[in-house]
């Protein structure tokens, strides 16, 4: 867990060296001490943040492990800046993509006998509905186009995937970043009293890295999930009305479900309520699953936001107690070929072509339902 804060007066101490911060109540009462893996104050740069906590996760993805970087916090606290940044101050996502392709180029230069393929899909959760941002880009000019039904599934290794999602291959960091930036333009944003460009949805940008070893004939698949959560909101502060209010209610409902999951995982509860919301279903392999996960909690320590800041710190403390069990995702050459054939047949059926593929695809569908999310 990592906490990033703007300047302010909510803290007695905020020590980036030790990871300790002491929250000061506004009226009386005892101060509260919190300890995190990392703390970043207003003087921290984007580069320092990435190098300190995120870089090792990218190396794991190329080795066949799942990785996840996500940002949580109240509206206007800087989550999107942490995840995406700006052209001159790139955030976690562009830095991760550049590092990933840098590692791929290094692997190719060493002549290690592997072939690396990078694919991605880009999902938005808006008003409790999944939206395929790539599909929106592809059919931007066709207002009558009806997107396919999207289903959240788990494969045999408990990796989340979205059935019927547009999956695109990218041959370079520049190509993948262009796809990410274009997809971001399709997200729902709006103005509130707390944020002039408030994200009205959660976004999950999933990067799939397949590495085929020509010697062992095995394929490893690592998934990097880059998650930008919409901020929690209080209507009395944001001034949200009508559509903005409905969006805020949906955001808060999904974040509440995420809080329930984190609470269950942090206490080793026998039941974890992933299925209570699509957000937690999509994040199932990032939280308490087969992934190396880094959660950023962004806070704004101004007096005006004291209640939200304390809530975010307590949220981060619970998240810190979660232990994930990351394992490598590897398939033999035969299994990898069968998976590719199933995907081809599904695309064929989706585009209206049936025929000889029907029987094989029906079997694949039954397998998915058995292991579905």
């Amino acid at each position: 867990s990592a906490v990033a804060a703007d300047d302010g007066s909510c803290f007695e101490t905020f020590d980036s060296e030790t990871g300790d911060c002491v929250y000061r109540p506004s009226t009386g009462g005892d101060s509260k001490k919190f300890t995190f893996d990392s703390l970043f104050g207003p003087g921290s740069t984007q580069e320092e943040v990435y190098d300190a906590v995120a870089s090792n996760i990218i190396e794991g993805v190329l080795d066949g492990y799942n990785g996840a970087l996500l940002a949580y916090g109240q509206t206007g606290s800087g989550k999107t800046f942490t995840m995406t940044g700006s052209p001159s101050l790139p955030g976690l996502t562009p830095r991760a993509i550049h590092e990933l392709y840098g590692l791929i180029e290094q692997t190719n230069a060493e002549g290690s006998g592997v072939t690396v393929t990078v694919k991605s899909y880009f999902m938005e959760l808006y008003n409790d509905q999944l939206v395929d941002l790539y599909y929106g880009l592809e059919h931007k000019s066709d207002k009558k186009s009806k997107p396919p039904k999207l289903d959240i599934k788990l494969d045999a290794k408990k990796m989340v995937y979205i059935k019927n999602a547009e999956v695109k291959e990218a041959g370079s960091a520049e190509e993948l970043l262009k796809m990410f930036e274009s997809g971001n333009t399709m997200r729902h944003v709006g103005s509130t009293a707390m944020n002039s460009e408030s994200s009205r949805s959660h976004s999950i940008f999933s990067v799939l890295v397949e590495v085929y070893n020509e010697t062992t004939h095995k394929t490893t698949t690592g998934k990097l999930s880059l998650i930008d959560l919409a901020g929690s909101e209080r209507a009395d502060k944001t001034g949200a009305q009508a559509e903005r209010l409905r969006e805020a209610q949906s955001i808060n409902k999904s974040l509440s479900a995420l809080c329930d999951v984190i609470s269950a995982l942090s206490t080793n509860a026998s039941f974890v309520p992933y299925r209570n919301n699509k957000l937690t279903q999509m994040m199932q392999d990032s939280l308490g699953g087969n992934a190396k996960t880094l959660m950023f909690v962004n806070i704004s320590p101004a007096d005006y936001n004291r209640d939200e800041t304390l809530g975010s710190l307590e949220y981060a403390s619970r998240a810190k107690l979660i232990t994930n069990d990351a394992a490598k995702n590897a398939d033999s050459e035969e299994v990898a070929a069968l998976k590719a054939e199933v995907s081809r047949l599904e695309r064929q059926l989706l585009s209206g072509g049936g025929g000889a593929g029907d029987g094989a695809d029906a079997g694949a569908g039954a397998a998915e339902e058995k292991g579905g999310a």
Side-chain angles (χ1 to χ4, degrees), residues 108-318:
N108 291 337
E110 292 171 352
S112 52
V114 299
T115 301
V116 183
T117 304
V118 179
K119 302 175 183 177
S120 68
Y121 61 86
F122 202 175
M123 291 290 127
E124 173 187 53
L125 183 61
Y126 176 70
N127 280 348
D128 297 323
Q129 298 299 316
L130 277 182
V131 179
D132 188 335
L133 297 176
Y134 281 171
Y135 182 91
L137 282 172
E138 290 291 325
H139 300 83
K140 197 173 182 179
S141 59
D142 185 2
K143 302 299 182 182
K144 295 182 180 180
S145 176
K146 185 178 179 181
K149 183 177 182 294
L150 301 172
D151 289 321
I152 305 169
K153 299 288 185 179
L154 285 177
D155 68 12
K157 294 183 175 64
K158 303 298 183 183
M159 182 191 290
V160 173
Y161 69 99
I162 310 299
K163 186 178 180 181
N164 298 331
E166 292 269 352
V167 180
K168 294 182 175 293
E169 189 172 331
S172 66
E174 291 72 24
E175 185 178 359
L176 186 56
L177 272 174
K178 184 177 180 180
M179 290 158 57
F180 171 72
E181 291 165 359
S182 298
N184 258 332
T185 65
M186 302 299 292
R187 284 188 69 184
H188 289 81
V189 296
S191 177
T192 71
M194 293 284 288
N195 190 350
S196 61
E197 293 185 5
S198 173
S199 299
R200 312 310 296 164
S201 67
H202 308 297
S203 76
I204 298 183
F205 184 57
S206 297
V207 181
L208 306 171
V209 182
E210 297 177 357
V211 180
Y212 173 68
N213 189 306
E214 296 170 5
T215 303
T216 64
H217 301 294
K218 286 189 175 182
T219 299
T220 61
T221 303
K223 184 174 79 166
L224 176 63
S225 299
L226 298 156
I227 305 168
D228 183 13
L229 298 173
S232 56
E233 297 187 6
R234 287 172 51 181
D236 59 334
K237 285 190 173 184
T238 62
Q241 297 179 355
E243 185 62 24
R244 291 287 171 267
L245 182 58
R246 286 191 291 273
E247 292 168 345
Q249 290 170 341
S250 174
I251 290 168
N252 289 340
K253 177 183 175 183
S254 59
L255 291 176
S256 177
L258 179 58
C259 184
D260 291 342
V261 165
I262 287 177
S263 179
L265 289 169
S266 64
T267 57
N268 294 316
S270 58
F271 173 73
V272 181
Y274 290 115
R275 294 176 65 89
N276 284 0
N277 193 274
K278 290 178 181 177
L279 175 64
T280 49
Q281 282 185 271
M282 284 197 295
M283 294 177 64
Q284 186 168 344
D285 58 355
S286 300
L287 291 172
N290 176 24
K292 300 178 179 180
T293 299
L294 171 65
M295 173 184 280
F296 271 86
V297 177
N298 292 65
I299 56 177
S300 174
D303 283 341
Y304 181 66
N305 293 322
R306 280 183 180 274
D307 292 342
E308 291 87 347
T309 294
L310 179 58
S312 294
L313 290 170
E314 291 174 340
Y315 194 100
S317 293
R318 288 194 296 271

Side-chain angles (χ1 to χ4, degrees), residues 5-140:
D6 296 329
D7 203 0
S9 57
C10 279
F11 296 100
E12 291 178 5
T13 60
F14 192 88
D15 193 334
S16 299
E17 293 294 325
T18 64
D20 295 334
C21 61
V22 178
Y23 172 86
R24 182 177 62 245
S26 58
T27 56
D30 296 330
S31 298
K32 293 188 177 183
K33 181 179 178 180
F34 297 89
T35 300
F36 301 102
D37 298 312
S38 302
L39 290 178
F40 300 98
S44 301
T45 66
Q46 296 275 62
E47 183 177 12
E48 289 171 350
V49 170
Y50 182 83
D51 290 344
V53 294
S55 184
N56 67 319
I57 290 180
I58 311 306
E59 295 177 9
V61 171
L62 194 59
D63 288 334
Y65 294 89
N66 295 338
L69 303 175
L70 61 141
Y72 169 87
Q74 77 172 105
T75 184
S77 59
K79 298 178 301 300
T80 299
F81 182 74
T82 295
M83 292 302 300
T84 304
S86 65
S88 59
L89 297 169
L92 295 174
T93 297
R95 291 179 187 275
I97 289 173
H98 278 295
E99 180 173 8
L100 173 63
Y101 278 92
L103 291 171
I104 292 172
E105 290 177 8
Q106 181 180 330
T107 299
N108 291 337
E110 292 171 352
S112 52
V114 299
T115 301
V116 183
T117 304
V118 179
K119 302 175 183 177
S120 68
Y121 61 86
F122 202 175
M123 291 290 127
E124 173 187 53
L125 183 61
Y126 176 70
N127 280 348
D128 297 323
Q129 298 299 316
L130 277 182
V131 179
D132 188 335
L133 297 176
Y134 281 171
Y135 182 91
L137 282 172
E138 290 291 325
H139 300 83
K140 197 173 182 179

Side-chain angles (χ1 to χ4, degrees), residues 315-335:
Y315 194 100
S317 293
R318 288 194 296 271
K320 190 175 183 293
L321 298 175
I322 299 172
T323 301
N324 281 9
D325 183 18
K328 183 179 290 191
N329 305 303
D331 288 322
S332 67
E333 186 173 18
E334 292 80 4
V335 172

